[in-house]
Amino acid sequence: MSSVKVAVYPGTFDPITLGHLNIIERASRLFDKLIVAVGVNSGKSPWFTAEERCEMIRQSVAERALENVEATLYQGLTVRFAKRLGARVMVRGVRPLTDLPAELTLMMANRQLEHDVETLFLVADGELAHVSSSLIKEIACAEEDAALNAFLPMPIIDAVRRKAHERLVNLR
């Protein structure tokens, strides 16, 4: 058994938001190593490839000098991935009004699959608790960059803006 405390923070991160980054920063203070795990899910239609999402996470955590955080890709059951990495905790960022029922159901299923992997729920701080990647996509398509500054890490605003422009052009 490793004495290093490892946690996994899984998600789609399409794109990473300041809400995600808030959870990453806080969780990185609780564990020796935090692995931000970008899920590859064929059932979703993300704006960015999994590799692009990993790179955006790396840029965002580098800007904040979070040296114990790494980003990686994974497929399959998250709880099994966490177990393979030796993580005893999965961090889940939740929005209090929208995410809790589904997250509690998922937590109970994960406990049945891997009883020694715990789930830790964290809510993003105040003004970030409502932020979602879906909201960001709507704002990116309709608003100027100044609006994005309130929701996205600086290193990825240009990439999100370019992707929003591409999608708008393709709709025409």
Side-chain angles (χ1 to χ4, degrees):
M1 169 86 60
S2 172
S3 63
V4 175
K5 292 183 180 134
V6 178
V8 171
Y9 177 30
T12 305
F13 306 105
D14 185 48
I16 184 174
T17 69
L18 289 177
H20 294 131
L21 198 52
N22 178 261
I23 299 295
I24 291 168
E25 285 179 315
R26 290 170 43 222
S28 73
R29 293 190 300 261
L30 299 174
F31 301 96
D32 298 325
K33 182 177 184 181
L34 178 66
I35 300 165
V36 181
V38 175
V40 178
N41 182 341
S42 61
K44 292 191 175 186
S45 300
W47 272 22
F48 297 94
T49 68
E51 293 80 9
E52 288 171 326
R53 289 179 272 148
C54 262
E55 185 54 33
M56 287 191 284
I57 292 165
R58 288 182 190 112
Q59 291 171 2
S60 299
V61 300
E63 179 188 50
R64 307 268 173 127
L66 302 174
E67 296 177 7
N68 66 329
V69 177
E70 65 181 58
T72 191
L73 304 175
Y74 80 99
Q75 284 185 298
L77 291 176
T78 307
V79 72
R80 300 278 197 229
F81 173 75
K83 178 84 171 183
R84 280 195 307 273
L85 294 178
R88 301 283 313 271
V89 175
M90 287 193 310
V91 174
R92 298 294 297 165
V94 294
R95 289 165 296 197
L97 298 178
T98 59
D99 296 340
L100 281 176
E103 288 293 338
L104 288 172
T105 300
L106 188 58
M107 177 201 70
M108 288 184 282
N110 286 336
R111 291 278 299 147
Q112 279 191 299
L113 292 168
E114 295 290 348
H115 63 85
D116 57 343
V117 177
E118 296 292 339
T119 301
L120 173 66
F121 295 118
L122 292 176
V123 176
D125 286 340
E127 72 281 357
L128 301 171
H130 68 285
V131 177
S132 70
S133 294
S134 299
L135 173 67
I136 298 306
K137 291 172 185 175
E138 288 182 41
I139 292 170
C141 289
E143 296 289 328
E144 298 300 318
D145 286 359
L148 291 175
N149 290 338
F151 302 104
L152 292 173
M154 289 301 293
I156 71 159
I157 289 176
D158 287 342
V160 171
R161 176 60 65 209
R162 280 191 305 276
K163 191 63 75 169
H165 179 73
E166 286 173 22
R167 294 183 71 85
L168 288 172
V169 167
N170 289 335
L171 290 176
R172 292 181 184 148

